[in-house]
Amino acid sequence: MVLGACALWALITAAVHGGRPEGVLLAVLAVAAGYAAGRICGALAPVAAPLTGALAGVGLAISVPHLAPGPQPGVPLGHAGATAALLALSTGAACCAARATAVPALRPALWALAAGIVATAAVLGTTAGVLACAAVLLCSLAAGRMGRRGAGLAGLAAVAAVVTGLTWAIAGGALPEGLAASLEGPLTRHRVELWQDALALAHQDPALGVGPGRFGELSATSVASPLSDGKPHSALLQQAAEQGAIGVALLAAAFCWVLYALWRTARPTPVALSAGAALTALAVIATVGNALSFTAVSVGAGLLAGLATARPLAEEPTRRESVVPGDRRLP
């Protein structure tokens, strides 16, 4: 229902302002397809499916030229964020496989794969990828000691909320001058100017926005940049500018629903928290970058969410050890 509402709202705002909703519709379709595939594969192969997904994500990050974060003349901003997002999702999938396996001899190899993805991010030169993958791995290791998954998921939601508020504050110039200057360095001045343009467009029509796909033609910073891809490089601010407050609410609802589904899932708590950490890392990257504009990232997000919420056909041997008082059980 949430994804359907996102697609419908994109069509409505496009009809009002003459925008181009194809990008939003493709992203919604990619997430839905990935989620459906994840639910099916997770039910049939709760360990092999996330392992395969992790290897596929790493392979894409390494082999697809347009996702490489290194210097590439003519390539716009955003590809480094997509690489970091793919690697973070891959780390989460590897951690889910390690937490789900009932074979003790296999578990160290799966943890080694997750650590290897962190090293891969370092080799590819994406600092954001290293930080995101390391955070996911550490969260997954800590998840085995957590008594209640609700507290862990609430913490992940708080992290996403803090980054969201900080991004909005930077765009609106609400931060102290010293703090704003220190954050502007890693973000780059160009990105901050794109965010400021997006916020200004959001103020023009707070309810409907200016229409999907129209930021590039209405942003002065984007028009003046020869390498611009026509996006503000923030999913939050792009929704605010192009689809208004309702678009932002729908984006937040999608993320909150994923966390709720992980809270209710019958999978072991460490699996749910590992997937939640990876999806939160994606949310953080997407808030300050352009990762969700890449179909591979959208499919990967849906796939990981589906894998972590699937009900395996056979009872998982690790479930009895992982469920503790306070976890929600499905009937």
Side-chain angles (χ1 to χ4, degrees), residues 135-169:
V136 172
L137 178 56
L138 291 175
C139 287
S140 182
L141 292 172
R145 298 180 175 274
M146 292 206 63
R148 296 177 180 269
R149 72 175 65 180
L153 293 173
L156 295 175
V159 170
V162 168
V163 175
T164 296
L166 192 60
T167 301
W168 197 278

Side-chain angles (χ1 to χ4, degrees), residues 28-268:
V28 170
L29 179 61
V31 172
Y35 183 74
R39 290 298 298 254
I40 296 171
C41 295
L44 297 174
V47 177
L51 172 60
T52 302
L55 295 174
V58 174
L60 277 175
I62 295 174
S63 62
V64 178
H66 293 299
L67 290 180
Q72 298 182 43
V75 174
L77 294 172
H79 299 288
T83 301
L86 267 181
L87 293 175
L89 292 173
S90 299
T91 305
C95 291
C96 287
R99 287 299 186 183
T101 185
V103 182
L106 183 59
R107 192 169 292 117
L110 294 171
W111 287 122
L113 172 61
I117 298 175
V118 179
T120 300
V123 171
L124 291 177
T126 165
T127 303
V130 173
L131 295 175
C133 294
V136 172
L137 178 56
L138 291 175
C139 287
S140 182
L141 292 172
R145 298 180 175 274
M146 292 206 63
R148 296 177 180 269
R149 72 175 65 180
L153 293 173
L156 295 175
V159 170
V162 168
V163 175
T164 296
L166 192 60
T167 301
W168 197 278
I170 293 173
L175 295 179
E177 184 176 349
L179 179 59
S182 63
L183 293 175
E184 186 178 306
L187 291 171
T188 72
R189 180 60 189 170
H190 177 66
R191 189 182 300 262
V192 174
E193 290 175 351
L194 289 173
W195 290 1
Q196 292 171 345
D197 287 355
L199 194 58
L201 292 175
H203 289 156
Q204 292 184 15
D205 193 338
L208 295 174
V210 298
R214 298 195 64 207
F215 174 83
E217 64 188 66
L218 298 176
S219 165
T221 303
S222 181
V223 171
S225 175
L227 298 180
S228 175
D229 57 0
K231 301 181 185 300
H233 293 266
S234 171
L236 167 71
L237 293 172
Q238 183 170 353
Q239 284 289 96
E242 297 184 346
Q243 299 185 50
I246 296 179
V248 173
L250 288 172
L251 184 64
F255 178 69
C256 291
W257 179 86
V258 168
L259 294 183
Y260 175 76
L262 292 173
W263 179 56
R264 294 284 299 177
T265 183
R267 301 299 303 277

